[in-house]
Amino acid sequence: AQLLSVTTFTLTFFVNQSYNVFKTCINTCRIVQGRLNDVIMSLAGSAERNDDPNNDSSQFTPQSKNIMLVVSRYIRLFNILYYASLTRSHRPLLTPLAMRRMVSRGLITQNEYDLLMEPSIPATQRHNIVLMWMYRVSIEGREAGHVNVPYRSTISKFQDIRAKSASIESLLRARMPFAYVHIVQVLVDTILWTYPLMALSEGMNLSFHLTLVGSAVLTASYQGLFDLAKQFLDPFHNENFWNGEDSLVVETLIAETNAGSMRWINCLNTMPMAYQSLKTGKLDEHILPVHGFSKEDADAKDEMLRIRKQEEKETELNAVAAAVSNSVFNEDKIIIQQYIEEEVAKELEAVQEEFETTKNILNAPPASDFVPGVDDKNSTEPYDFGDDMKEEKLEKFMDKMEEEFEETKEMIEGKTSKIS
């Protein structure tokens, strides 16, 4: 009984310590991912811009955007090489053949390949070369006047990336003392081998069947906890404890960081107000009511907008129909009819696309970095909302969307039949 108590306490403490290793690893991966996003976000927010004379907006200058695109590519390259150094599953990416393939696939230039293959830098530390490239591009872009990112903030971000990325390497090299793992294994094996003998002894006097059931339960519990602890100690599936599946899906971490490398550039590609408007304070059209417009005003504006669009569309279709009726050449009629059919098909396609986008947005997992089926080309299974949204509300909303889609489709088809 005392040995069983000692083993239980030691095993549960061992599982807790192993889980801390796993948790620290995934948290640090997220921190590195966040700091890489901070780098490109700072560059995008401080990049040089030009006002658009045609409307009240501004865009990146060609020079500042090119700098951000280079840094964005270096972020993706750093991410790939970094996880390739941490995991055996992605280690082939560091081989010369894979590096040459990166050149042919447009991930790196030939000059960058030559520098990365320098023998003075270990193959598993090539990501640090890319990190220093990012650092120098940011600093020199600031000196050239194309980005106005704060100097100290830039240094701090890159130092933080270096420290956090190196901490995972140190964590994987010193996860747990081998003697500690060994003594836990000895205690678990001792309990599992001696329990049947103790159960059949005169002191406990259990039947053979109860002894068999107790041994099975004890083995599943203690050996299962010990295997779980070993899985926590192998977060990147480098020791084959996860039976062929990564505990931390590296592809997901890489994909999320790659998406973040362009997200902040795209977010600020066009500003809704020009610098000159900010300088002169002419922002009247951007100042809206604190509580928004009333429901009645909003409904009235939407109805007016809908009527205006419908009138414009009817005017256009009537003009085309008149051209068809006045034309004496069959070829002109065929061309105009084809034009009408193409326009109707485009409008139907736009309505269908909006309907599908709405469904994909509703089916997207909570807190996801992108909407499957909208922001990528891969199909995905609908997400189960569970208690997050009541079924009747979701069904009501989807029925409304289907109804609007059918109404628009019938209206367009009716106009098409009249023209024909």
Side-chain angles (χ1 to χ4, degrees), residues 199-351:
L200 295 174
S201 65
E202 295 182 358
M204 298 184 66
N205 196 20
L206 295 178
S207 65
F208 175 77
H209 295 89
L210 289 177
T211 302
L212 189 62
V213 172
S215 298
V217 172
L218 207 64
T219 300
S221 301
Y222 279 71
Q223 192 60 47
L225 284 174
F226 188 67
D227 289 342
L228 178 63
K230 289 192 291 186
Q231 291 175 359
F232 285 148
L233 290 174
D234 185 28
F236 290 110
H237 180 48
N238 292 328
E239 306 295 338
N240 298 323
F241 287 137
W242 287 87
N243 298 323
E245 296 182 1
D246 287 344
S247 54
L248 296 181
V249 184
V250 177
E251 290 85 355
T252 301
L253 295 172
I254 292 175
E256 289 175 350
T257 305
N258 290 351
S261 67
M262 290 299 298
R263 179 182 300 126
W264 310 109
I265 300 176
N266 296 332
C267 287
L268 206 57
N269 193 39
T270 301
M271 270 283 290
M273 57 192 73
Y275 169 75
Q276 193 63 28
S277 299
L278 293 170
K279 185 177 180 180
T280 58
K282 296 180 179 179
L283 302 173
D284 294 340
E285 65 180 57
H286 300 285
I287 300 176
L288 300 176
V290 176
H291 300 291
F293 297 105
S294 65
K295 181 179 181 301
E296 292 76 13
D297 292 342
D299 292 341
K301 289 182 180 180
D302 291 341
E303 183 65 19
M304 290 177 60
L305 181 62
R306 187 188 66 81
I307 294 174
R308 187 191 311 162
K309 286 184 177 180
Q310 186 174 354
E311 291 176 350
E312 291 176 355
K313 198 66 179 179
E314 288 179 352
T315 302
E316 179 182 356
L317 291 176
N318 291 334
V320 174
V324 172
S325 60
N326 295 331
S327 178
V328 296
F329 298 102
N330 290 330
E331 293 182 356
D332 292 341
K333 292 182 178 181
I334 294 174
I335 293 174
I336 295 174
Q337 184 65 27
Q338 289 177 348
Y339 168 77
I340 295 174
E341 292 176 355
E342 290 176 358
E343 290 298 314
V344 171
K346 288 180 181 179
E347 191 165 347
L348 278 174
E349 184 180 354
V351 174

Side-chain angles (χ1 to χ4, degrees), residues 29-320:
C29 288
R30 291 299 186 187
I31 291 174
V32 172
Q33 181 180 353
R35 294 300 172 269
L36 291 171
N37 280 325
D38 289 345
V39 169
I40 194 66
M41 180 181 177
S42 298
L43 290 177
S46 60
E48 186 181 22
R49 308 181 68 86
N50 283 332
D51 288 351
D52 190 344
N54 298 324
N55 52 51
D56 187 21
S57 63
S58 65
Q59 290 81 31
F60 295 119
T61 63
Q63 297 86 350
S64 65
K65 189 165 186 177
N66 287 339
I67 289 174
M68 288 186 294
L69 291 177
V70 170
V71 173
S72 175
R73 182 172 66 84
Y74 283 164
I75 287 176
R76 297 191 292 272
L77 180 59
F78 169 86
N79 207 37
I80 293 173
L81 298 180
Y82 175 60
Y83 284 111
S85 69
L86 293 179
T87 63
R88 294 185 185 275
S89 59
H90 291 70
R91 188 61 56 81
L93 293 174
L94 297 178
T95 61
L97 177 62
M99 297 293 290
R100 289 195 298 271
R101 186 61 177 169
M102 289 184 189
V103 176
S104 60
R105 291 295 300 272
L107 298 179
I108 58 176
T109 65
Q110 183 62 46
N111 185 36
E112 291 169 350
Y113 167 81
D114 295 335
L115 294 174
L116 288 171
M117 297 301 292
E118 283 286 336
S120 58
I121 302 297
T124 55
Q125 297 297 318
R126 288 173 184 158
H127 57 277
N128 288 323
I129 301 178
V130 182
L131 182 65
M132 294 307 297
W133 291 348
M134 280 192 286
Y135 179 43
R136 285 308 306 171
V137 170
S138 301
I139 295 300
E140 292 176 2
R142 180 181 183 275
E143 293 175 353
H146 299 308
V147 290
N148 192 28
V149 63
Y151 183 77
R152 293 184 177 180
S153 175
T154 303
I155 295 177
S156 176
K157 285 182 175 61
F158 283 105
Q159 288 177 339
D160 201 13
I161 293 172
R162 187 226 41 96
K164 294 299 182 181
S165 60
S167 68
I168 298 183
E169 300 172 358
S170 302
L171 180 66
L172 295 178
R173 285 194 295 264
R175 295 168 293 176
M176 191 78 68
F178 177 75
Y180 186 19
V181 181
H182 182 68
I183 192 61
V184 175
Q185 180 73 74
V186 169
L187 288 173
V188 171
D189 291 343
T190 301
I191 286 294
L192 297 181
W193 281 103
T194 58
Y195 175 78
L197 300 177
M198 293 186 295
L200 295 174
S201 65
E202 295 182 358
M204 298 184 66
N205 196 20
L206 295 178
S207 65
F208 175 77
H209 295 89
L210 289 177
T211 302
L212 189 62
V213 172
S215 298
V217 172
L218 207 64
T219 300
S221 301
Y222 279 71
Q223 192 60 47
L225 284 174
F226 188 67
D227 289 342
L228 178 63
K230 289 192 291 186
Q231 291 175 359
F232 285 148
L233 290 174
D234 185 28
F236 290 110
H237 180 48
N238 292 328
E239 306 295 338
N240 298 323
F241 287 137
W242 287 87
N243 298 323
E245 296 182 1
D246 287 344
S247 54
L248 296 181
V249 184
V250 177
E251 290 85 355
T252 301
L253 295 172
I254 292 175
E256 289 175 350
T257 305
N258 290 351
S261 67
M262 290 299 298
R263 179 182 300 126
W264 310 109
I265 300 176
N266 296 332
C267 287
L268 206 57
N269 193 39
T270 301
M271 270 283 290
M273 57 192 73
Y275 169 75
Q276 193 63 28
S277 299
L278 293 170
K279 185 177 180 180
T280 58
K282 296 180 179 179
L283 302 173
D284 294 340
E285 65 180 57
H286 300 285
I287 300 176
L288 300 176
V290 176
H291 300 291
F293 297 105
S294 65
K295 181 179 181 301
E296 292 76 13
D297 292 342
D299 292 341
K301 289 182 180 180
D302 291 341
E303 183 65 19
M304 290 177 60
L305 181 62
R306 187 188 66 81
I307 294 174
R308 187 191 311 162
K309 286 184 177 180
Q310 186 174 354
E311 291 176 350
E312 291 176 355
K313 198 66 179 179
E314 288 179 352
T315 302
E316 179 182 356
L317 291 176
N318 291 334
V320 174

